[in-house]
């Protein structure tokens, strides 16, 4: 058994219902210039926290990490996350230093793409109703 299979690997763009879901960031800014504010501690998803999203979907307001579904995910092919690959290849970095992220040690994107994924992560919104056509193409290319 590989060490990766022993330790949970997290998807940093999970749904609130994902096994082991934790909120690790909050989307800030405007629809045109949003950024993730990283929490100092990843918090288990709870009804109380989800209620803070108000009328928005939780994934419009929060960045949520949860167990990577690997073979059950449309973005996972040939033992890698194609979403992470597309983000690194198609999205410009927005920071040049690693964000203070609480899930890096278990993050699928970081394990696969390294710091290049982290430099782009602060602009990722899992459910962005204001996404451009290009952003939608990157998110849904599979």
């Amino acid at each position: 058994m590989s060490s990766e299979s022993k330790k949970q690997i997290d998807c940093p763009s999970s749904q609130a219902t994902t096994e082991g879901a934790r909120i690790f960031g909050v989307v800030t800014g405007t629809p045109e210039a949003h950024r993730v504010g990283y929490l100092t501690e990843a918090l288990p998803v709870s009804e109380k926290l989800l209620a803070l999203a108000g009328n928005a979907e939780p994934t419009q307001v929060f960045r949520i990490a949860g167990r990577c579904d690997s073979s059950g995910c449309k973005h996972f092919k040939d033992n890698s996350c194609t979403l992470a690959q597309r983000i690194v290849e198609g999205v410009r970095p927005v920071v040049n230093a690693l964000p203070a992220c609480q899930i890096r040690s278990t993050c699928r994107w970081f394990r696969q793409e390294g710091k290049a994924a982290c430099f782009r992560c602060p602009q990722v919104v899992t459910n962005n109703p204001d996404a451009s056509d290009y952003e939608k193409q990157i998110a849904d290319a599979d």
Side-chain angles (χ1 to χ4, degrees), residues 39-107:
L39 302 180
T40 56
E41 178 183 347
L43 302 172
V45 168
S46 68
E47 290 302 318
K48 186 175 179 179
L49 283 174
L50 295 179
L52 296 174
N55 293 329
E57 292 293 324
T59 50
Q60 291 175 285
V61 178
F62 301 116
R63 285 293 300 282
I64 300 171
R67 182 179 298 278
C68 173
D69 195 19
S70 55
S71 61
C73 178
K74 73 176 189 171
H75 298 295
F76 200 80
K77 293 188 177 38
D78 299 324
N79 205 31
S80 65
C81 177
T82 61
L83 178 58
Q85 291 170 339
R86 289 191 307 275
I87 288 171
V88 166
E89 292 169 3
V91 177
R92 292 179 186 261
V94 292
V95 295
N96 58 13
L98 292 174
C101 177
Q102 299 302 309
I103 68 154
R104 186 171 296 114
S105 67
T106 59
C107 180

Side-chain angles (χ1 to χ4, degrees), residues 98-119:
L98 292 174
C101 177
Q102 299 302 309
I103 68 154
R104 186 171 296 114
S105 67
T106 59
C107 180
R108 166 73 61 197
W109 294 2
F110 178 71
R111 285 177 177 237
Q112 180 179 310
E113 302 292 331
K115 63 185 178 180
C118 300
F119 293 163

